[in-house]
Amino acid sequence: MRITRRVFCGAAFAGLAGCARGARRAGTAEKPAFPLVDLHVHLDNSTVDQVLALSAERGVKFGIVEHAGTKENVYPVVLSNDEELLRHLDTLAGKPVFKGVQAEWLDWQSGFSKEALKKLDYILTDTMTFPGPDGRRMKLWEKPEGLGTAQEFMARYVDWHLQIIETMSMDILANGTWLPAAFAAEYDTLWTEARVAKVVDALVKHGVALEISSGFSLPKLSWLRQAKAAGVKFTMGSNGRYPKMGLLDYSLTVAEQLELQADDFFLPNGNGPRRI
Ligand SMILES: [Zn+2]
């Protein structure tokens, strides 16, 4: 990973050997700019200890997310109730990671108590599961039929962003601005300034941070500029499965272009998810 920007090794990174190495690679004694944190790491077919070795090697602190929601959502792991959540949190106890979930669909909280959810550090979600014509959940990356024209889709997609940001207990919008394959080539024209403004305003109003996704190299720079100007906070995320977590090249490149500083980033503060 190319690291040319200034990095930060603060209290949150105590005991993380790779952080110092990351700072040395930066080759600078300049004042720290922001923490290197990947808040979108999926364990899936790896263990937390395997993943922690990569965290140290890459000098990046990780936030581990498991999918959370009802069993209607199909993923390698879907936490659906307190017992499953607490068992998962036990496996992370004492490890130098942030503990999150990737919430799925508007009803995701139905199986959990607030007490259990408060044990999390943060909640991340995305907009890539979308209401189909019959109202059922539709995974947009599986190239479903019935999305309508690009303009019809965008109108519904922006509304879907707003509904999620306004109603879900979330700290981070992940994979933001991603478009289905049928429309991805038109990203620059479909994400008009007015559409971006609607989503950005909702993020600011509800205090939701925007992930800069290295997994998808999104949102694009113009989108991020508009978000920064409005005061949106950012996170970095790989959406990585082993061994791809902590690879943050795109996030770091645009952070440098936008001259982001530590206070432009959201970090979990130890008090649990903000909207629980
Ligand atoms: Zn994910």
Side-chain angles (χ1 to χ4, degrees), residues 109-173:
Q109 246 178 278
S110 56
F112 299 102
S113 68
K114 285 197 173 190
E115 290 66 37
L117 292 174
K118 278 182 194 291
K119 295 180 191 298
L120 290 163
D121 291 317
Y122 66 101
I123 293 160
L124 160 156
T125 191
D126 66 25
T127 55
M128 292 169 66
T129 307
F130 185 70
D134 54 3
R136 275 188 303 162
R137 53 201 81 187
M138 183 162 80
K139 291 177 172 179
L140 288 175
W141 63 97
E142 293 178 345
K143 303 185 180 166
E145 302 284 321
L147 298 182
T149 67
Q151 296 300 332
E152 287 164 351
F153 171 76
M154 285 306 292
R156 292 187 59 216
Y157 198 45
V158 169
D159 284 347
W160 181 233
H161 277 74
L162 301 185
Q163 189 178 358
I164 284 177
I165 294 165
E166 284 163 11
T167 62
M168 286 178 72
S169 301
M170 61 192 282
D171 299 290
I172 302 168
L173 175 66

Side-chain angles (χ1 to χ4, degrees), residues 40 42 102 239:
H40 195 160
H42 291 283
Q102 179 160 356
N239 198 16

